[in-house]
Amino acid sequence: MSQIFDLDMIKAVYDRFPARVAAARKVVGRPLTLSEKILYTHLWDGEPTTAFGRGKDYVDFAPDRVTMQDATAQMALLQFSTTGRKKVAVPSTVHCDHLIQARVGAKQDLQEALNKSNEVFNFLESISNKYGIGFWKPGAGIIHQVMLENYAFPGGMMIGTDSHTVNAGGLGMVAIGVGGADACDVMSGLPWELKFPKLIGVKLTGKLNGWTAPKDVILKVAGILTVKGGTGAIVEYFGPGAESMSCTGKGTIANMGAEIGATTSTFGYDDSMRRYLKATGRAEVAAMADKIAADLTGDPEVYADPSKYFDQVIEIDLSTLSPHLNGPFTPDLATPVSEMKEKAAKNDWPTEIEWALIGSCTNSSYEDISRAASIVADAVSKGLKPKSQLGINPGSEQVRYTIERDGFIETFEKSGATIFTNACGPCIGQWAREGADKQEKNSIVHSFNRNFAKRADGNPNTHAFVASPEMVAAIAISGKLTFDPVHDTLTNDKGEQVKLAEPTGWELPPKGFAVEDNGYQAPAEDGSKVEVVVKPDSQRLQLLEAFPAWNGKNISDAVLLIKAKGKCTTDHISMAGSWLRYRGHLDNISNNTLIGAINAFNGEADKVKNQLTGEYGAVPATQRAYKAAGVTSIVVGDQNYGEGSSREHAAMQPRHLGVAAVLVKSFARIHETNLKKQGMLALTFSNEADYDKIQEDDRIDFTDLTSFAPGKPLTLVFKHKDGSSDTILCNHTYNAQQIEWFKAGSALNIIRAEQRA
């Protein structure tokens, strides 16, 4: 069984927890939610002395740990290596799960990844070894599942360079996705800054039954709140319904909170967490948590009268909740399974399901796999075979080894399923799907979290629908998007009408978890002799050069690189898929900058007007021409710009290519912070209608950048080709410290200067 990591750190957090909660209750002057308890016990300055304004005050925090996946760790650690520090200041880990493409099956795909990305894996292994970072090898599992099994603990605070870090909320943490620059700060021993979040309470009553799963709770919540309804807020789940669910089920709900823009989601410590900690070899952590259990959940008064303590309250009765399918193309388009026939017909969605995929960081627990396997086993016993191709991504080597021992892998393989590596695979576009290049209109179902166009297989016409693992298994058996296992029957090999039995499974393995090699590698005690090699001619890795500081002058005569229309996620700004291989090479990956964004002037992607030549070309090439000519540019965008993944490349690439400012109707939280950290101007229209005034050939003057100050809007003059102009007021959320990042050229430039001083 796995060792308990960082037990002394957890003990220290728990030792100071009750006193800090009591102090917070005193300064706030009322009972506290769980979210507030965790935030106030992790203040950088120690014991709470001030009550903070939700959604108003910027606060410095001291997270307990940092976690990074291989695609984002490269840039985070390249940044960290320039700070001059000898070792990370807080426990940190790297997990190799993104750079493994799903193609034919686990063994071959893992070997192929080792062949193709060995240089990157070796770099991550050696830099982890040097700086005291725990390293999880390729094939060890998906970062968030490994975190839940080994590191997450009730009441803790963690940041991670992946938006689904929030998964650890299932074990009562405040776990938040950030860009690599934030991770670099915390690993460097600096405070981590966050605007004090608003609070959304979700009261769960009743109990899940039949075909309904924890996944359906978040699919329902996404339908209520939409992809931006949780922005700037922590979602706190409570009530008897929350306590009746498994810990990994809570993890699924917290995980997909990233899809509603939530800062994070969390649950109070309860018996399901206690059971999970014990099952994963952490009985000592459970015993410590038990001693302060009252502090590891919201105060009773809060849950008795939630509307007094939360900014918004949602109530869901699990007993009457029905199974959902969300999608296509957005995770908040929620449809009860029973209504899909009608809705698919109305919208002309393809109903033949070619692929059904189970797993990812959202749904790859023992419980998920056992319940999905029960559906497949029941179908086979009734003379049914899956009509769709079924793919399984186990969440960790520990889960994979245990489900193989318990016969579930054999159940899947007998029905023709493909078992992929313990990695992200299709969920993040790492899927070599046969025929995807033909771009045919088709539908797939999966138990993942995201379903933006092109996300899974690169085909813009693949309609991806999100459901629970058991619902995905049922739809795979039927081959139809419109199949409702609650009411519908299927024709078996004898021509009989049969009904699938309701899913059954185990919250935790009855014989306990088992694993031969979990894939963990501890760092050297003294890393000073470890050499980290980056070849000068490498196409995969590139040492970083500092971004230039601001010259202290107003920007004048800037050009418009692109005015993006509609949804512009971090996938549109810096695509994943095949581009993942360049995540450690800033110049190479910059060749995908904004190639997915739709140009508002022609409705096309990757086709913008070059203001120097008048010709149309690719966005990155056009921007490189501006950089070479010494011309500053800006990007204009729509609502919720930068939603989705935490990837800071979406901020670093435009910065590297010479974009000075991004002006939008509204930002997704992580992306706005990432832009600030890289020394860029992240601005929003004071009047959203001004978006329509911006023309393709505009030249732009910043008139008052020299007096850039907190709370003071900036004025931009858009000079049109016909000689007229529009003066546009732009808001920002920079505080004094963040303005210093802009002046210095990046937050990292300030860290470097401090380490050298």
Side-chain angles (χ1 to χ4, degrees), residues 272-419:
S272 74
M273 295 184 193
R274 189 178 293 112
R275 293 192 297 270
Y276 187 72
L277 285 168
K278 288 177 178 175
T280 49
R282 293 174 286 171
E284 271 180 86
V285 177
M288 291 194 297
D290 284 343
K291 285 181 186 157
I292 59 161
D295 287 327
L296 296 176
T297 188
D299 286 336
E301 299 92 328
V302 171
Y303 296 156
D305 190 5
S307 57
K308 255 174 84 173
Y309 302 94
F310 291 98
D311 298 290
Q312 182 181 354
V313 179
I314 294 167
E315 194 165 331
I316 297 172
D317 179 358
L318 301 184
S319 305
T320 59
L321 181 66
S322 56
H324 275 63
L325 271 166
N326 282 29
F329 306 125
T330 185
D332 58 356
L333 183 55
T335 306
V337 171
S338 57
E339 294 169 23
M340 185 50 84
K341 286 189 188 71
E342 200 183 325
K343 206 160 173 181
K346 193 172 150 192
N347 291 286
D348 193 28
W349 294 333
T351 56
E352 297 287 328
I353 295 294
E354 298 186 11
W355 269 91
L357 300 148
I358 291 169
S360 88
C361 64
T362 322
N363 276 112
S364 55
S365 66
Y366 186 88
E367 181 178 45
D368 290 329
I369 301 291
S370 68
R371 283 173 66 87
S374 82
I375 305 298
V376 175
D378 178 60
V380 170
S381 75
K382 288 172 176 167
L384 296 164
K385 258 194 355 217
K387 292 229 168 53
S388 311
Q389 183 62 45
L390 189 57
I392 313 287
N393 274 76
S396 69
E397 177 54 19
Q398 179 166 274
V399 164
R400 190 213 62 79
Y401 188 92
T402 309
I403 63 171
E404 181 169 49
R405 178 200 69 191
D406 294 350
F408 301 140
I409 285 189
E410 190 186 358
T411 298
F412 288 126
E413 285 182 335
K414 272 186 176 167
S415 72
T418 305
I419 312 296

Side-chain angles (χ1 to χ4, degrees), residues 301-604:
E301 299 92 328
V302 171
Y303 296 156
D305 190 5
S307 57
K308 255 174 84 173
Y309 302 94
F310 291 98
D311 298 290
Q312 182 181 354
V313 179
I314 294 167
E315 194 165 331
I316 297 172
D317 179 358
L318 301 184
S319 305
T320 59
L321 181 66
S322 56
H324 275 63
L325 271 166
N326 282 29
F329 306 125
T330 185
D332 58 356
L333 183 55
T335 306
V337 171
S338 57
E339 294 169 23
M340 185 50 84
K341 286 189 188 71
E342 200 183 325
K343 206 160 173 181
K346 193 172 150 192
N347 291 286
D348 193 28
W349 294 333
T351 56
E352 297 287 328
I353 295 294
E354 298 186 11
W355 269 91
L357 300 148
I358 291 169
S360 88
C361 64
T362 322
N363 276 112
S364 55
S365 66
Y366 186 88
E367 181 178 45
D368 290 329
I369 301 291
S370 68
R371 283 173 66 87
S374 82
I375 305 298
V376 175
D378 178 60
V380 170
S381 75
K382 288 172 176 167
L384 296 164
K385 258 194 355 217
K387 292 229 168 53
S388 311
Q389 183 62 45
L390 189 57
I392 313 287
N393 274 76
S396 69
E397 177 54 19
Q398 179 166 274
V399 164
R400 190 213 62 79
Y401 188 92
T402 309
I403 63 171
E404 181 169 49
R405 178 200 69 191
D406 294 350
F408 301 140
I409 285 189
E410 190 186 358
T411 298
F412 288 126
E413 285 182 335
K414 272 186 176 167
S415 72
T418 305
I419 312 296
F420 292 123
T421 316
N422 314 322
C424 304
C427 181
I428 56 158
Q430 280 287 55
W431 183 24
R433 182 184 177 190
E434 211 176 308
D437 52 339
K438 294 183 194 151
Q439 302 209 346
E440 291 167 346
K441 188 174 171 182
N442 75 102
S443 287
I444 63 172
V445 292
H446 61 56
S447 71
F448 308 158
N449 40 47
R450 300 225 155 113
N451 61 344
F452 306 136
K454 300 206 266 192
R455 173 80 181 180
D457 62 3
N459 176 1
N461 301 311
T462 293
H463 295 52
F465 295 85
V466 186
S468 68
E470 41 271 64
M471 190 53 66
V472 172
I475 288 173
I477 303 294
S478 73
K480 292 279 186 194
L481 176 68
T482 51
F483 176 63
D484 174 7
V486 181
H487 302 103
D488 297 349
T489 57
L490 293 167
T491 310
N492 71 2
D493 53 8
K494 296 191 182 81
E496 301 159 340
Q497 291 302 300
V498 293
K499 203 161 186 249
L500 292 177
E502 288 179 354
T504 58
W506 288 268
E507 175 189 338
L508 295 161
K511 290 188 269 185
F513 282 107
V515 68
E516 272 177 6
D517 174 10
N518 65 1
Y520 174 71
Q521 196 168 295
E525 280 298 318
D526 174 12
S528 58
K529 304 278 190 297
V530 177
E531 203 183 339
V532 180
V533 181
V534 174
K535 291 188 253 149
D537 60 346
S538 170
Q539 291 303 299
R540 299 290 300 269
L541 297 161
Q542 180 188 44
L543 294 173
L544 293 174
E545 288 175 22
F547 289 133
W550 176 51
N551 64 9
K553 298 175 184 169
N554 280 322
I555 296 167
S556 57
D557 244 17
V559 296
L560 177 71
L561 172 61
I562 186 171
K563 177 176 168 179
K565 177 185 170 191
K567 201 183 266 285
C568 194
T569 70
T570 48
D571 274 358
H572 293 85
I573 307 165
S574 171
M575 279 183 189
S578 60
W579 289 94
L580 279 173
R581 64 183 181 275
Y582 297 127
R583 283 280 176 86
H585 198 295
L586 185 54
D587 196 56
N588 281 349
I589 198 166
S590 292
N591 290 324
N592 79 6
T593 305
L594 285 156
I595 62 175
I598 300 301
N599 182 352
F601 299 108
N602 58 16
E604 293 186 54

